Amino acid sequence: MDIYYLILVVPTLLLSMWAQFMVKSTFSKYSKVQCTSRITGMDAAVLLLKANNINNVQVEAVKGSLTDHYDPSAKKLRLSEPVYGVHTIAAVGVAAHETGHAIQHAKHWGPLALRSILVPVANIGSKFGPVMAAIGLGITVAGNAVSSIASLLIIGGILLFSGAVLFYLITLPVEFNASSRAIKILRSNKVLNERELNDVKKVLTAAALTYVASALTAVANLLRLVLLARRR
């Protein structure tokens, strides 16, 4: 552990813990609030898909809690057990948000396409980038300050991890846009009243905090590696 980790990374990790607590507590709170229209998460997803003339996406249930996601390769919208057949504010909000991703995919929305391209880059970069950089820095500590191998490892590791950081940053507008689309369509189709829409916004805002925290943690780790490399 180094001073950069304490100053840069630790605060973002604490923020991530707080964000996880907020999303779980907010989802739990609004899972107890029934929709006046008695619409379920599955109903909301189907309605939003039809409103955007999307007929080739299947809505299905998936086990677990907060495991909701849209699978673009299979064109399936998977809703968790507390969402699929449940008519609560939290259920409708989460279902509408995930449907927002299906709408993005159907409309070939640029940032979503870019994020999909970056998935393998992010997987490789997040796993091997920090390890490569750490090995390079370790060689330096051992006394090989002028080692070209150490320099290549550090630079290569930072570049690899930069791809993962870019993925996290691109994820932010993708998630925010999905929520924005969800709220807009729910309002235009009068699925929920304004009070209920405000409650849905609280659920989606809490969820968005987790993505913001993850992005900040990734940026903080990248900045830490850069500062360590410069100090070398």
Side-chain angles (χ1 to χ4, degrees):
M1 187 178 295
D2 54 79
I3 189 65
Y4 298 134
Y5 184 87
L6 292 173
I7 295 175
L8 297 172
V9 181
V10 170
T12 63
L13 293 177
L14 293 175
L15 176 62
S16 295
M17 293 171 61
W18 178 75
Q20 288 292 335
F21 168 77
M22 286 298 298
V23 71
K24 290 180 180 178
S25 61
T26 304
F27 182 82
S28 176
K29 175 182 178 180
Y30 289 102
S31 290
K32 300 180 179 70
V33 181
Q34 306 293 314
C35 298
T36 54
S37 63
R38 307 293 288 179
I39 188 172
T40 66
M42 185 272 291
D43 294 331
V46 171
L47 187 151
L48 267 65
L49 290 171
K50 287 184 177 179
N52 284 270
N53 298 316
I54 300 174
N55 303 309
N56 59 348
V57 172
Q58 181 182 351
V59 182
E60 62 181 26
V62 64
K63 292 184 178 180
S65 178
L66 296 177
T67 52
D68 313 84
H69 64 280
Y70 170 64
D71 183 349
S73 59
K75 291 192 175 181
K76 290 185 177 181
L77 184 62
R78 300 188 175 105
L79 303 178
S80 63
E81 294 169 338
V83 171
Y84 184 82
V86 182
H87 42 72
T88 63
I89 294 296
V92 172
V94 170
H97 172 84
E98 296 304 331
T99 308
H101 289 310
I103 297 170
Q104 291 172 337
H105 183 243
K107 294 183 179 296
H108 306 288
W109 196 58
L112 179 66
L114 177 58
R115 188 179 73 164
S116 298
I117 294 172
L118 287 173
V119 168
V121 176
N123 289 336
I124 295 173
S126 61
K127 290 180 181 178
F128 300 108
V131 175
M132 285 179 59
I135 292 173
L137 291 167
I139 292 173
T140 302
V141 172
N144 298 319
V146 295
S147 170
S148 59
I149 295 178
S151 297
L152 288 173
L153 285 171
I154 294 170
I155 295 172
I158 289 175
L159 289 176
L160 276 176
F161 190 59
S162 296
V165 173
L166 180 59
F167 173 83
Y168 282 109
L169 294 176
I170 291 294
T171 293
L172 294 180
V174 171
E175 296 299 330
F176 293 153
N177 179 264
S179 293
S180 177
R181 290 175 187 269
I183 295 295
K184 183 178 179 180
I185 300 173
L186 288 174
R187 177 178 285 114
S188 63
N189 286 273
K190 303 186 186 306
V191 177
L192 303 175
N193 58 44
E194 285 302 319
R195 178 186 60 80
E196 291 173 326
L197 285 172
N198 286 331
D199 290 341
V200 166
K201 288 179 182 178
K202 294 175 184 177
V203 174
L204 298 182
T205 298
L209 285 175
T210 61
Y211 296 105
V212 173
S214 295
L216 288 175
T217 300
V219 171
N221 274 301
L222 177 61
L223 182 57
R224 169 178 171 258
L225 290 177
V226 171
L227 291 173
L228 287 172
R230 289 190 63 183
R231 188 171 70 180
R232 169 185 176 275

